[in-house]
Every structure is written in structure tokens, then in C-alpha cells.
Amino acid sequence: MATQNDKWSDALKSVASAVLAIHFICVLVVCTANVSPSQLQARLVKVLAPYTRVLNWDPNFTRFQWTHAVPEHDDHRILISKEDIQKSDASAEVLQFGIRGSLRRARHQALADFMAVYAAPGQELDDVTALIAGRVGNFALRRRNETGSVKVRVDGWEPQLMAPASAANPSTASTWGTIYSAEVWADPGGEVQVLKDAARGEVALPQAPLGTGPQETGGSPGVVTP
Amino acid sequence: MMRGFLRYLANFSQVFAAAWHRFWFQASDPSPLAVLRIFTGLAAIDYFVSWAPDLQYWWGQDGILRPEDVRNLLRFTDEAGQFYGISYLNLLESPWLLNGAHAVAIVVAVCFTLGICTRVASVLLWLELLSYVHRAPMLTTHLDPVLTAVVGYLCLAPCGTRWSWDAWRRNRVPVQSDEPVQFDSTVTTRWTVSSNFAQRLIQVHLTVFYLLFALSKLGGDTWWNGEAMWWLTAQSDSPLLDASGLGRDPIWINVWTHAIVGIELLYPVLIWNRWTRPLIMMAAIVSWTSLALVTGRITFCLLMIGLQVAFFDGLSPYPLDESHGEDSSDG
């Protein structure tokens, strides 16, 4: 059983209508700009950001398409090891907590995905990857009460193409591939240095001494100050 | 010709204003909102509990994402990133304070779910969810934008008027002063404009989400050529169910992929008609169940299934009452 009750004044309805219209225009703009925004959309997203970002109406960090079959949308994981992971995966620890399907696991995947996006060829942002790799490596060393260095690596899953009906299960040919690898050094004073391993064939002779951290493997160094 | 067009515009504005008024500002039963409160509350509890084991790992003094790191990462990657970072969690450096604040967040989510001081709990829960998103936006999952939006709208509604501690307390009727209190089942539920208003907000936002789901998928070839579900099933860590054997028979992968896009495209249209509503709801439930098994995003997919209640008329998804027959569309 129910009773009908309460009424809104005309003035309140007018104000509510105006607010509604503005609100949903903002929501529609930021949602439709989620994938490949035009210049206009990108500009509007920036203009509306004080409202849409602060109240989280803008899902800009969320990949609602799930996949577009590009490497950045595959599964990623972060590995840490005291030894050179390139030589052996046996001693590597996969930085992945929580059971499969849990939000806890999803957050670790989100961090690995975030690193992978900015480590991908053509989109490299060494500042981003070095910062996270430095923190991850430092955390691993502190947890083990160690100083020295640790290897941090981001792997991406490489699924195979769909196979015809007669072929074997194509997923059995899938494998992990390395997207990013770096050596993280933490000294007792708390300074952290990140030395990115360059891909074979991309290594160039340094024009001048690099100055920070050990340089036996080549690559570009970054410094993270805790 | 011009006069006819002006007359059309005048008629259109009258009809539109009447429909707008009917859509947003008539009173409605708050029961669906009470069910939504319970669903979103359970999702919020899972959200906060899942942070608990890793609070120090992520946000501790030696954690992976300190406040200045998040600011730097956003500065490098997001032009409007300066609008993130508004979070009380940034102020909590001590492990005790961080754990204490997190315990409070879990208690607030439980209070919201059980309907204890619902109005206050809903506002606090919304602010807490926003604070967690702002503390590390790069860790957000599919759940965060949907959960914060729905809880934000529920702050406006009397969602604690049914199936809640608040309702139980309000409806207790002392029979005699020396006898234990009894629940009075005849106490009526109050229909309000704010119930309808909040329910409509959730409905419209949900349809915008479905539009976003469909359009973002169609922004890439793989959802057009029917292979997208293969790329999801063939992942290593995400799927809960090994359906990769379907890769040997691409037709089933194609059917699955096209069905998901089709449902998401049709949802914003068919959900508004009371006769097609139960059909599209059932299709959406099947779609979200399959996505939960393949993507491993269980809480998000369950919440999307639970949010179908936003389109219930009272507590029924079906057009049972013939007396409502003339009004086939809500808009």
C-alpha cells in the first residue's frame, strides 16, 4: 500500500530542469569522448573537467570497449626478480595479489596495463614507466630488507589468431612477451635509480657518460627520489 | 509555410514540456531505489574490502603510489589531470590513520547497505568513493565510474524508506509500554517526487553508459568483424572460464560478439518501452553474465545486472496492469 505525497514548486522544477540539462550534456560529452576524441571533444572534455573529473562523471581511465585487439588491451603483469629475468623466469615473482576475478587482482592488472601503455613502442613515456618501476623495485627491496638492485619487468600476453576448425586449440600457442624491463637500484640513503633495458637492436652507443647508476647494460636511466 | 512551422514549434514545446514534467516530476514508489541501495551497497563493501590488504602497498609511506607520484603521473599522461587528487586520503600518512579511515569507509558502506541513517551514510559513501578514485585514478576499474554515479544519485533519494534499519525503526509501533515493540505491516510507503527524480537520473545515466559501451566497441574493427570475444577469451589472467576452445569455430565467437554489441545498441531504445523492457533486460543479464566469465570483472557485471532494477515499475519489470496500457512509453 502506498500514499502519494509531496510536490515540487514550479520554481524548483525549473531550476532542476536546467541543472538536469546541463548535467547530462556534460555526461554525454565526456562519455562519447572516451575513445578517439575529436579535437572539439578533447577541448570540451578539458573545459568540463572541473565538473566531470572532480565528481568522476568522466570514465576516462576505463576501457569500456574491453578490447580492440591491440597489444595495450591484452593482459599484462609486473614481475620482479633479484636475478636477470631475461635469463630465467624461475626466480621471478609476479606482482599480482588477490584471486582471479577479484577487484584486488583487477587493480594490480590496472597498474600493469597503465605501465604497458606508456612502455609501448611509439608511446614511450620513460618518466612514467621509470617512476612506477622505481617504486615497485624499491618496495620489493624494502620488503626483503635488502639494498642493491632488483629487476622489474612488464610482460604482455600475446594471444594467437583464431584458427580454423581443423586446427588445434589456438590458445595453446599464446605466450608472454616482454614490453618493458629495467634494473632498479636503491642505495642506503634512499635514492632510487632506474636503468631501463633497451631492446636488442635499439641500443645506441652513448654520446656522453650517463652519470647516474651502473651502466653495464646500456639504456636510459631515470632517477626517482623518495 | 513559416506560420505552420511556428505553430508546429509551439505545439512541440507544449507536448515536450508536458512529457518532461511527467517524466521527471511525478511521484513514484521508492521500492526500486531501496533494492538499488542494497545492490550498490554490496558492491561498495566489496570495493572497500578489496582495498584493505594492499592499503600500505599502494598508499603507505613506502608504497607504490604516493600522492606526489600520482600528481606526476597525471601531469605526464593527462591534460586535465590536475582536477584529480582531491582526496582526504592524501593527508593520511600514518599507517594507523590510513587503516582507521579505511575501516570507517567500510562501516559507512555497511550502514548504507543496511539502511542505517541512510541519507547521511549515502552522502558519506559518495564522498569516500570519490576520494578513493581521486587518490589513484590510474587504478580505477570498470566498477568505479558506475558505482560513484549510482551512489551519487541515490544521495538525492529516500532510498532508506524500505528494507532498512531506518524503516524498521520508523515502523515499530509500541502496543503497550510494557510489551515488546511490534512491526506494523500496515504502515504505508510514501511516494515522492524525489524518488522518481533519482530513479530517472539513474535510468538516463544507465542508457548513456550503454551508449558508451556500444559506441566505444564500434570504434575498433574487432567488434565489427566479430572477433572481439576471441581476444577476450584468449587472455591469460582475466577469464574465469576457459572458452578458448571456441577459437576453433569462429562462427560461435562471431555470434557472441555481435550479440553483445547488438544488445548494448538496442538497450537504450528498447528499455523505454514497457513491452520490450523485460526482453532487453533478460538479454542484458545474459550478456553481463557471459562478460563476467570472460573478463573476470565479477563485481562490475553483477552490479550491471542489479541495476536493471532501476527500470522496474514498483517491484515488477513486467507490464502487468492493463489500466496502464495507454502509456506505452515513459518518455
Side-chain angles (χ1 to χ4, degrees):
Chain A
M1 181 157 182
T3 59
Q4 298 212 15
N5 217 318
D6 97 330
K7 288 225 182 292
W8 288 15
S9 68
D10 285 344
L12 181 57
K13 285 178 190 170
S14 302
V15 172
S17 296
V19 172
L20 272 174
I22 295 167
H23 168 70
F24 278 114
I25 288 169
C26 294
V27 169
L28 208 59
V29 166
V30 294
C31 283
T32 52
N34 192 244
V35 177
S36 307
S38 67
Q39 282 191 4
L40 172 67
Q41 283 174 315
R43 217 162 151 182
L44 284 172
V45 165
K46 214 172 159 184
V47 170
L48 299 175
Y51 174 63
T52 56
R53 293 279 167 92
V54 170
L55 298 184
N56 199 37
W57 303 117
D58 184 354
N60 66 318
F61 277 98
T62 312
R63 204 173 64 222
F64 280 119
Q65 70 272 28
W66 299 109
T67 181
H68 277 166
V70 291
E72 296 94 271
H73 296 175
D74 292 327
D75 280 347
H76 299 97
R77 62 184 190 180
I78 299 174
L79 295 96
I80 46 177
S81 171
K82 278 298 279 181
E83 296 165 19
D84 189 346
I85 317 177
Q86 307 289 8
K87 292 175 186 160
S88 165
D89 271 357
S91 65
E93 178 192 352
V94 180
L95 213 62
Q96 205 169 51
F97 306 122
I99 58 168
R100 195 182 279 238
S102 65
L103 281 170
R104 195 181 171 205
R105 171 77 74 101
R107 280 188 203 108
H108 287 88
Q109 285 180 338
L111 185 73
D113 291 346
F114 187 74
M115 269 189 94
V117 165
Y118 294 106
Q123 297 185 57
E124 290 112 321
L125 270 181
D126 284 345
D127 290 328
V128 170
T129 46
L131 199 157
I132 299 175
R135 291 294 183 224
V136 168
N138 191 37
F139 184 88
L141 286 169
R142 281 176 184 255
R143 193 179 53 178
R144 297 170 181 178
N145 262 336
E146 291 173 2
T147 53
S149 74
V150 70
K151 280 274 187 185
V152 176
R153 194 175 87 187
V154 178
D155 280 0
W157 186 247
E158 297 170 349
Q160 297 299 303
L161 294 170
M162 274 199 296
S166 57
N169 185 344
S171 69
T172 55
S174 303
T175 180
W176 289 101
T178 299
I179 296 170
Y180 175 85
S181 176
E183 189 151 19
V184 178
W185 291 79
D187 65 26
E191 188 168 273
V192 179
Q193 296 177 350
V194 181
L195 192 66
K196 178 183 169 187
D197 295 341
R200 206 175 290 209
E202 288 180 12
V203 178
L205 289 172
Q207 298 299 306
L210 290 169
T212 52
Q215 326 229 316
E216 65 271 26
T217 55
S220 54
V223 178
V224 180
T225 308
Chain B
M1 176 76 179
M2 193 61 193
R3 190 176 296 172
F5 183 68
L6 289 175
R7 196 180 317 132
Y8 156 76
L9 279 183
N11 288 339
F12 174 79
S13 61
Q14 273 185 353
V15 170
F16 181 81
W20 178 273
H21 182 274
R22 201 168 54 243
F23 185 83
W24 289 104
F25 302 118
Q26 64 182 7
S28 77
D29 183 358
S31 301
L33 295 173
V35 179
L36 287 176
R37 185 199 79 235
I38 294 167
F39 277 130
T40 51
L42 290 172
I45 291 171
D46 185 23
Y47 178 86
F48 287 120
V49 168
S50 68
W51 276 109
D54 301 326
L55 268 189
Q56 299 304 322
Y57 169 79
W58 292 119
W59 299 337
Q61 283 165 338
D62 293 323
I64 307 272
L65 293 170
R66 304 175 200 181
E68 65 271 20
D69 294 341
V70 172
R71 271 194 297 275
N72 284 332
L73 291 172
L74 290 170
R75 189 161 51 84
F76 294 135
T77 59
D78 189 350
E79 281 189 4
Q82 76 268 28
F83 296 107
Y84 286 115
I86 307 162
S87 170
Y88 67 88
L89 296 164
N90 287 334
L91 307 172
L92 308 176
E93 290 189 350
S94 144
W96 284 100
L97 279 176
L98 193 57
N99 289 334
H102 189 67
V104 170
I106 294 174
V107 169
V108 168
V110 170
C111 287
F112 176 77
T113 310
L114 299 176
I116 301 170
C117 302
T118 316
R119 189 71 78 154
V120 176
S122 61
V123 175
L124 288 177
L125 179 62
W126 188 48
L127 295 176
E128 279 167 351
L129 286 168
L130 288 174
S131 287
Y132 277 68
V133 169
H134 276 263
R135 179 61 184 80
M138 60 287 300
L139 297 184
T140 53
T141 64
H142 291 73
L143 180 68
D144 300 60
V146 178
L147 189 60
T148 50
V150 176
V151 172
Y153 293 136
L154 286 176
C155 292
L156 303 173
C159 58
T161 50
R162 292 199 76 177
W163 302 302
S164 65
W165 168 263
D166 289 346
W168 181 78
R169 271 176 60 94
R170 197 174 45 252
N171 295 347
R172 289 190 307 182
V173 179
V175 178
Q176 283 182 8
S177 58
D178 56 344
E179 288 184 11
V181 292
Q182 294 179 354
F183 182 77
D184 181 0
S185 60
T186 63
V187 173
T188 57
T189 308
R190 191 164 163 245
W191 286 32
T192 61
V193 175
S194 53
S195 302
N196 178 67
F197 190 73
Q199 193 175 349
R200 294 301 196 191
L201 283 167
I202 295 171
Q203 290 174 349
V204 174
H205 206 118
L206 265 181
T207 54
V208 173
F209 271 130
Y210 273 90
L211 201 65
L212 165 64
F213 299 153
L215 294 181
S216 59
K217 287 181 175 66
L218 296 177
D221 290 343
T222 189
W223 289 94
W224 284 103
N225 65 25
E227 289 184 0
M229 291 313 292
W230 163 252
W231 294 105
L232 292 176
T233 55
Q235 294 303 321
S236 167
D237 285 342
S238 305
L240 303 177
L241 185 76
D242 183 11
S244 57
L246 288 174
R248 281 174 290 187
D249 196 352
I251 297 298
W252 290 110
I253 291 286
N254 295 163
V255 169
W256 196 358
T257 305
H258 295 318
I260 284 175
V261 177
I263 289 164
E264 289 176 356
L265 273 177
L266 289 172
Y267 192 95
V269 179
L270 299 185
I271 198 67
W272 296 111
N273 183 287
R274 69 196 190 95
W275 292 106
T276 53
R277 186 178 301 153
L279 294 174
I280 196 68
M281 278 183 181
M282 282 308 296
I285 288 169
V286 173
S287 168
W288 286 117
T289 305
S290 75
L291 278 170
L293 294 173
V294 172
T295 63
R297 299 294 188 259
I298 300 174
T299 312
F300 168 66
C301 294
L302 286 177
L303 180 63
M304 292 309 296
I305 290 172
L307 289 180
Q308 305 302 317
V309 177
F311 288 95
F312 279 23
D313 187 9
L315 286 174
S316 171
Y318 302 114
L320 295 175
D321 188 354
E322 284 302 314
S323 64
H324 294 159
E326 300 85 29
D327 185 17
S328 63
S329 171
D330 290 324

